Amino acid sequence: MIFRQLFDSESSTYTYLIGDASTGQAVLIDPVREQVDRDLKLVGELGLKLTYVFDTHVHADHVTASGLLRERTRCTVASGAGGAACADLQLHHGDEVRVGPSIFFRVLATPGHTDDSVSYLLEDRVFTGDALLVRGNGRTDFQNGSASQLHDSITRVLFSLPDETLVYPAHDYHGHTVTSIAEEKRYNPRLAGQSLEEFIHTMETLHLPKPQRIDVAVPANRACGRTPAPPPQGH
Ligand SMILES: N[C@@H](CCC(=O)N[C@@H](CS)C(=O)NCC(=O)O)C(=O)O
Ligand SMILES: [Fe+2]
């Protein structure tokens, strides 16, 4: 299996490239629109052919490259059901997506950061979007976010994966790249030794400024980053 972690420093977003070495089929998880040329160049250099793009959720802080990649490569776009209407595959908990003969992703519904958030489990690693970050978690104050739902997604769904499972998040703001389920159970400051009530209180008192690009990014991402043409002007 070919695996690469890419970073967009403007939005602190991680994009992941996973490829099947035997057939060359590949998937990009959470590609960023401004990085589309970088990502396609790497896909080509590694002898891969993009067959899928997976988004973990409708992002609020940057615009996805999924629609642009679909136009350029004819790949299939997949995302959590109910988020981006433009996605070819609307994924539900327990769904499996095969990329080449040897790569199977299992979809885990992990709502709470947003209501459409999913994680993708691949063998010994899981791509958690903004549900679970390294020593943190996504905020829950927009797009039908819910602190209690996120707590359930992390503690019941993600923390029931094997301890050694590697956790690859969609963002990091502190210089981390990867963690594990065991590490987060033990050291995540919002979860380790914290009750549900304490977690909800923490999330409700973060008072973070809203993402700078949210008003543009959310509608654009519901259209896979291909902003719909403005309606015709009346005469
Ligand atoms: N300053 C960033 C904020 C980004 C942001 O709010 N990121 C979300 C993920 S979409 C989050 O959950 N951040 C968690 C945190 O900042 O602790 C921006 O304007 O875009
Ligand atoms: Fe997010």
Side-chain angles (χ1 to χ4, degrees), residues 69-93:
L69 287 164
R70 180 166 58 188
E71 286 167 25
R72 294 211 195 158
T73 69
R74 299 180 173 272
C75 67
T76 299
V77 174
S79 66
C86 57
D88 306 299
L89 288 181
Q90 301 279 328
L91 300 171
H92 296 91
H93 188 82

PDB file of all heavy atoms in Angstrom, residues 69-93:
ATOM      1  N   LEU A  69     -11.347  17.708  -8.758  1.00  0.00           N
ATOM      2  CA  LEU A  69     -10.682  16.426  -9.025  1.00  0.00           C
ATOM      3  C   LEU A  69     -11.600  15.497  -9.827  1.00  0.00           C
ATOM      4  O   LEU A  69     -11.135  14.765 -10.705  1.00  0.00           O
ATOM      5  CB  LEU A  69     -10.272  15.767  -7.702  1.00  0.00           C
ATOM      6  CG  LEU A  69      -9.076  16.447  -7.022  1.00  0.00           C
ATOM      7  CD1 LEU A  69      -8.961  16.008  -5.565  1.00  0.00           C
ATOM      8  CD2 LEU A  69      -7.770  16.140  -7.763  1.00  0.00           C
ATOM      9  N   ARG A  70     -12.886  15.545  -9.531  1.00  0.00           N
ATOM     10  CA  ARG A  70     -13.830  14.707 -10.291  1.00  0.00           C
ATOM     11  C   ARG A  70     -13.857  15.128 -11.755  1.00  0.00           C
ATOM     12  O   ARG A  70     -13.880  14.290 -12.657  1.00  0.00           O
ATOM     13  CB  ARG A  70     -15.223  14.815  -9.669  1.00  0.00           C
ATOM     14  CG  ARG A  70     -16.267  13.991 -10.382  1.00  0.00           C
ATOM     15  CD  ARG A  70     -17.537  13.835  -9.565  1.00  0.00           C
ATOM     16  NE  ARG A  70     -18.152  15.112  -9.201  1.00  0.00           N
ATOM     17  CZ  ARG A  70     -19.174  15.237  -8.362  1.00  0.00           C
ATOM     18  NH1 ARG A  70     -19.682  14.167  -7.777  1.00  0.00           N
ATOM     19  NH2 ARG A  70     -19.684  16.420  -8.081  1.00  0.00           N
ATOM     20  N   GLU A  71     -13.829  16.459 -11.992  1.00  0.00           N
ATOM     21  CA  GLU A  71     -13.825  16.934 -13.379  1.00  0.00           C
ATOM     22  C   GLU A  71     -12.546  16.521 -14.104  1.00  0.00           C
ATOM     23  O   GLU A  71     -12.561  16.167 -15.271  1.00  0.00           O
ATOM     24  CB  GLU A  71     -13.949  18.457 -13.401  1.00  0.00           C
ATOM     25  CG  GLU A  71     -15.351  18.935 -13.057  1.00  0.00           C
ATOM     26  CD  GLU A  71     -15.404  20.429 -12.769  1.00  0.00           C
ATOM     27  OE1 GLU A  71     -14.522  21.180 -13.266  1.00  0.00           O
ATOM     28  OE2 GLU A  71     -16.305  20.828 -12.032  1.00  0.00           O
ATOM     29  N   ARG A  72     -11.430  16.586 -13.374  1.00  0.00           N
ATOM     30  CA  ARG A  72     -10.149  16.320 -14.040  1.00  0.00           C
ATOM     31  C   ARG A  72      -9.851  14.833 -14.196  1.00  0.00           C
ATOM     32  O   ARG A  72      -9.106  14.453 -15.105  1.00  0.00           O
ATOM     33  CB  ARG A  72      -9.015  16.975 -13.243  1.00  0.00           C
ATOM     34  CG  ARG A  72      -9.107  18.482 -13.270  1.00  0.00           C
ATOM     35  CD  ARG A  72      -7.721  19.091 -13.199  1.00  0.00           C
ATOM     36  NE  ARG A  72      -7.786  20.504 -12.882  1.00  0.00           N
ATOM     37  CZ  ARG A  72      -6.792  21.180 -12.355  1.00  0.00           C
ATOM     38  NH1 ARG A  72      -5.652  20.574 -12.056  1.00  0.00           N
ATOM     39  NH2 ARG A  72      -6.913  22.466 -12.104  1.00  0.00           N
ATOM     40  N   THR A  73     -10.356  13.997 -13.291  1.00  0.00           N
ATOM     41  CA  THR A  73      -9.943  12.581 -13.304  1.00  0.00           C
ATOM     42  C   THR A  73     -11.106  11.616 -13.457  1.00  0.00           C
ATOM     43  O   THR A  73     -10.875  10.414 -13.558  1.00  0.00           O
ATOM     44  CB  THR A  73      -9.208  12.208 -11.999  1.00  0.00           C
ATOM     45  OG1 THR A  73     -10.162  12.228 -10.922  1.00  0.00           O
ATOM     46  CG2 THR A  73      -8.082  13.169 -11.688  1.00  0.00           C
ATOM     47  N   ARG A  74     -12.334  12.104 -13.385  1.00  0.00           N
ATOM     48  CA  ARG A  74     -13.538  11.271 -13.396  1.00  0.00           C
ATOM     49  C   ARG A  74     -13.609  10.338 -12.192  1.00  0.00           C
ATOM     50  O   ARG A  74     -14.213   9.255 -12.238  1.00  0.00           O
ATOM     51  CB  ARG A  74     -13.655  10.449 -14.690  1.00  0.00           C
ATOM     52  CG  ARG A  74     -13.733  11.326 -15.920  1.00  0.00           C
ATOM     53  CD  ARG A  74     -13.851  10.508 -17.197  1.00  0.00           C
ATOM     54  NE  ARG A  74     -14.093  11.381 -18.330  1.00  0.00           N
ATOM     55  CZ  ARG A  74     -15.301  11.766 -18.716  1.00  0.00           C
ATOM     56  NH1 ARG A  74     -16.376  11.362 -18.058  1.00  0.00           N
ATOM     57  NH2 ARG A  74     -15.456  12.556 -19.750  1.00  0.00           N
ATOM     58  N   CYS A  75     -12.970  10.732 -11.105  1.00  0.00           N
ATOM     59  CA  CYS A  75     -13.046   9.925  -9.885  1.00  0.00           C
ATOM     60  C   CYS A  75     -14.448  10.025  -9.274  1.00  0.00           C
ATOM     61  O   CYS A  75     -15.238  10.902  -9.629  1.00  0.00           O
ATOM     62  CB  CYS A  75     -11.997  10.401  -8.878  1.00  0.00           C
ATOM     63  SG  CYS A  75     -12.314  12.062  -8.240  1.00  0.00           S
ATOM     64  N   THR A  76     -14.725   9.121  -8.346  1.00  0.00           N
ATOM     65  CA  THR A  76     -15.999   9.107  -7.619  1.00  0.00           C
ATOM     66  C   THR A  76     -15.812   9.860  -6.304  1.00  0.00           C
ATOM     67  O   THR A  76     -14.840   9.620  -5.584  1.00  0.00           O
ATOM     68  CB  THR A  76     -16.406   7.649  -7.322  1.00  0.00           C
ATOM     69  OG1 THR A  76     -16.569   6.976  -8.570  1.00  0.00           O
ATOM     70  CG2 THR A  76     -17.694   7.574  -6.519  1.00  0.00           C
ATOM     71  N   VAL A  77     -16.748  10.759  -5.995  1.00  0.00           N
ATOM     72  CA  VAL A  77     -16.670  11.536  -4.750  1.00  0.00           C
ATOM     73  C   VAL A  77     -17.597  10.898  -3.713  1.00  0.00           C
ATOM     74  O   VAL A  77     -18.771  10.642  -3.995  1.00  0.00           O
ATOM     75  CB  VAL A  77     -17.075  13.008  -4.985  1.00  0.00           C
ATOM     76  CG1 VAL A  77     -17.138  13.773  -3.667  1.00  0.00           C
ATOM     77  CG2 VAL A  77     -16.095  13.668  -5.949  1.00  0.00           C
ATOM     78  N   ALA A  78     -17.056  10.651  -2.524  1.00  0.00           N
ATOM     79  CA  ALA A  78     -17.834  10.032  -1.448  1.00  0.00           C
ATOM     80  C   ALA A  78     -17.766  10.900  -0.206  1.00  0.00           C
ATOM     81  O   ALA A  78     -16.723  11.483   0.101  1.00  0.00           O
ATOM     82  CB  ALA A  78     -17.277   8.642  -1.135  1.00  0.00           C
ATOM     83  N   SER A  79     -18.889  10.984   0.511  1.00  0.00           N
ATOM     84  CA  SER A  79     -18.876  11.703   1.791  1.00  0.00           C
ATOM     85  C   SER A  79     -20.043  11.223   2.647  1.00  0.00           C
ATOM     86  O   SER A  79     -20.878  10.437   2.187  1.00  0.00           O
ATOM     87  CB  SER A  79     -18.931  13.216   1.575  1.00  0.00           C
ATOM     88  OG  SER A  79     -20.161  13.579   1.004  1.00  0.00           O
ATOM     89  N   GLY A  80     -20.066  11.683   3.876  1.00  0.00           N
ATOM     90  CA  GLY A  80     -21.107  11.259   4.803  1.00  0.00           C
ATOM     91  C   GLY A  80     -22.483  11.696   4.314  1.00  0.00           C
ATOM     92  O   GLY A  80     -22.654  12.804   3.804  1.00  0.00           O
ATOM     93  N   ALA A  81     -23.456  10.815   4.464  1.00  0.00           N
ATOM     94  CA  ALA A  81     -24.812  11.097   3.979  1.00  0.00           C
ATOM     95  C   ALA A  81     -25.356  12.364   4.629  1.00  0.00           C
ATOM     96  O   ALA A  81     -25.111  12.632   5.804  1.00  0.00           O
ATOM     97  CB  ALA A  81     -25.720   9.922   4.304  1.00  0.00           C
ATOM     98  N   GLY A  82     -26.070  13.137   3.818  1.00  0.00           N
ATOM     99  CA  GLY A  82     -26.750  14.318   4.339  1.00  0.00           C
ATOM    100  C   GLY A  82     -25.898  15.571   4.370  1.00  0.00           C
ATOM    101  O   GLY A  82     -26.390  16.638   4.739  1.00  0.00           O
ATOM    102  N   GLY A  83     -24.631  15.488   3.979  1.00  0.00           N
ATOM    103  CA  GLY A  83     -23.760  16.660   4.000  1.00  0.00           C
ATOM    104  C   GLY A  83     -23.696  17.333   2.637  1.00  0.00           C
ATOM    105  O   GLY A  83     -24.413  18.291   2.373  1.00  0.00           O
ATOM    106  N   ALA A  84     -22.866  16.788   1.764  1.00  0.00           N
ATOM    107  CA  ALA A  84     -22.673  17.367   0.440  1.00  0.00           C
ATOM    108  C   ALA A  84     -23.555  16.631  -0.563  1.00  0.00           C
ATOM    109  O   ALA A  84     -23.300  15.469  -0.907  1.00  0.00           O
ATOM    110  CB  ALA A  84     -21.204  17.267   0.044  1.00  0.00           C
ATOM    111  N   ALA A  85     -24.590  17.325  -1.040  1.00  0.00           N
ATOM    112  CA  ALA A  85     -25.531  16.703  -1.983  1.00  0.00           C
ATOM    113  C   ALA A  85     -24.836  16.307  -3.288  1.00  0.00           C
ATOM    114  O   ALA A  85     -25.298  15.422  -4.004  1.00  0.00           O
ATOM    115  CB  ALA A  85     -26.682  17.659  -2.268  1.00  0.00           C
ATOM    116  N   CYS A  86     -23.721  16.976  -3.588  1.00  0.00           N
ATOM    117  CA  CYS A  86     -22.986  16.739  -4.830  1.00  0.00           C
ATOM    118  C   CYS A  86     -22.242  15.406  -4.847  1.00  0.00           C
ATOM    119  O   CYS A  86     -21.788  14.964  -5.905  1.00  0.00           O
ATOM    120  CB  CYS A  86     -21.964  17.850  -4.997  1.00  0.00           C
ATOM    121  SG  CYS A  86     -20.869  17.913  -3.541  1.00  0.00           S
ATOM    122  N   ALA A  87     -22.068  14.759  -3.701  1.00  0.00           N
ATOM    123  CA  ALA A  87     -21.240  13.538  -3.648  1.00  0.00           C
ATOM    124  C   ALA A  87     -21.941  12.395  -4.387  1.00  0.00           C
ATOM    125  O   ALA A  87     -23.156  12.234  -4.293  1.00  0.00           O
ATOM    126  CB  ALA A  87     -20.967  13.149  -2.206  1.00  0.00           C
ATOM    127  N   ASP A  88     -21.145  11.587  -5.090  1.00  0.00           N
ATOM    128  CA  ASP A  88     -21.701  10.440  -5.826  1.00  0.00           C
ATOM    129  C   ASP A  88     -22.138   9.346  -4.860  1.00  0.00           C
ATOM    130  O   ASP A  88     -23.101   8.637  -5.102  1.00  0.00           O
ATOM    131  CB  ASP A  88     -20.636   9.862  -6.773  1.00  0.00           C
ATOM    132  CG  ASP A  88     -20.077  10.925  -7.689  1.00  0.00           C
ATOM    133  OD1 ASP A  88     -20.858  11.492  -8.467  1.00  0.00           O
ATOM    134  OD2 ASP A  88     -18.868  11.216  -7.592  1.00  0.00           O
ATOM    135  N   LEU A  89     -21.377   9.176  -3.790  1.00  0.00           N
ATOM    136  CA  LEU A  89     -21.701   8.160  -2.781  1.00  0.00           C
ATOM    137  C   LEU A  89     -22.034   8.854  -1.479  1.00  0.00           C
ATOM    138  O   LEU A  89     -21.216   9.609  -0.949  1.00  0.00           O
ATOM    139  CB  LEU A  89     -20.496   7.242  -2.541  1.00  0.00           C
ATOM    140  CG  LEU A  89     -20.117   6.239  -3.612  1.00  0.00           C
ATOM    141  CD1 LEU A  89     -18.908   5.426  -3.148  1.00  0.00           C
ATOM    142  CD2 LEU A  89     -21.285   5.317  -3.917  1.00  0.00           C
ATOM    143  N   GLN A  90     -23.227   8.594  -0.963  1.00  0.00           N
ATOM    144  CA  GLN A  90     -23.655   9.134   0.328  1.00  0.00           C
ATOM    145  C   GLN A  90     -23.470   7.998   1.337  1.00  0.00           C
ATOM    146  O   GLN A  90     -24.224   7.024   1.326  1.00  0.00           O
ATOM    147  CB  GLN A  90     -25.124   9.570   0.263  1.00  0.00           C
ATOM    148  CG  GLN A  90     -25.404  10.637  -0.796  1.00  0.00           C
ATOM    149  CD  GLN A  90     -25.035  12.043  -0.307  1.00  0.00           C
ATOM    150  OE1 GLN A  90     -25.130  12.351   0.867  1.00  0.00           O
ATOM    151  NE2 GLN A  90     -24.623  12.891  -1.236  1.00  0.00           N
ATOM    152  N   LEU A  91     -22.458   8.125   2.171  1.00  0.00           N
ATOM    153  CA  LEU A  91     -22.034   6.984   2.994  1.00  0.00           C
ATOM    154  C   LEU A  91     -22.727   6.932   4.349  1.00  0.00           C
ATOM    155  O   LEU A  91     -22.981   7.965   4.972  1.00  0.00           O
ATOM    156  CB  LEU A  91     -20.523   7.055   3.203  1.00  0.00           C
ATOM    157  CG  LEU A  91     -19.691   7.010   1.913  1.00  0.00           C
ATOM    158  CD1 LEU A  91     -18.230   7.303   2.226  1.00  0.00           C
ATOM    159  CD2 LEU A  91     -19.840   5.654   1.224  1.00  0.00           C
ATOM    160  N   HIS A  92     -22.961   5.695   4.804  1.00  0.00           N
ATOM    161  CA  HIS A  92     -23.573   5.441   6.113  1.00  0.00           C
ATOM    162  C   HIS A  92     -22.665   4.548   6.942  1.00  0.00           C
ATOM    163  O   HIS A  92     -21.808   3.835   6.398  1.00  0.00           O
ATOM    164  CB  HIS A  92     -24.935   4.759   5.933  1.00  0.00           C
ATOM    165  CG  HIS A  92     -25.932   5.611   5.218  1.00  0.00           C
ATOM    166  ND1 HIS A  92     -26.078   5.573   3.847  1.00  0.00           N
ATOM    167  CD2 HIS A  92     -26.806   6.537   5.677  1.00  0.00           C
ATOM    168  CE1 HIS A  92     -27.010   6.444   3.490  1.00  0.00           C
ATOM    169  NE2 HIS A  92     -27.465   7.044   4.582  1.00  0.00           N
ATOM    170  N   HIS A  93     -22.929   4.553   8.250  1.00  0.00           N
ATOM    171  CA  HIS A  93     -22.165   3.727   9.179  1.00  0.00           C
ATOM    172  C   HIS A  93     -22.174   2.268   8.716  1.00  0.00           C
ATOM    173  O   HIS A  93     -23.227   1.714   8.423  1.00  0.00           O
ATOM    174  CB  HIS A  93     -22.771   3.830  10.581  1.00  0.00           C
ATOM    175  CG  HIS A  93     -21.944   3.166  11.631  1.00  0.00           C
ATOM    176  ND1 HIS A  93     -20.843   3.778  12.218  1.00  0.00           N
ATOM    177  CD2 HIS A  93     -22.032   1.941  12.191  1.00  0.00           C
ATOM    178  CE1 HIS A  93     -20.312   2.956  13.098  1.00  0.00           C
ATOM    179  NE2 HIS A  93     -21.010   1.839  13.111  1.00  0.00           N
TER     180      HIS A  93
END
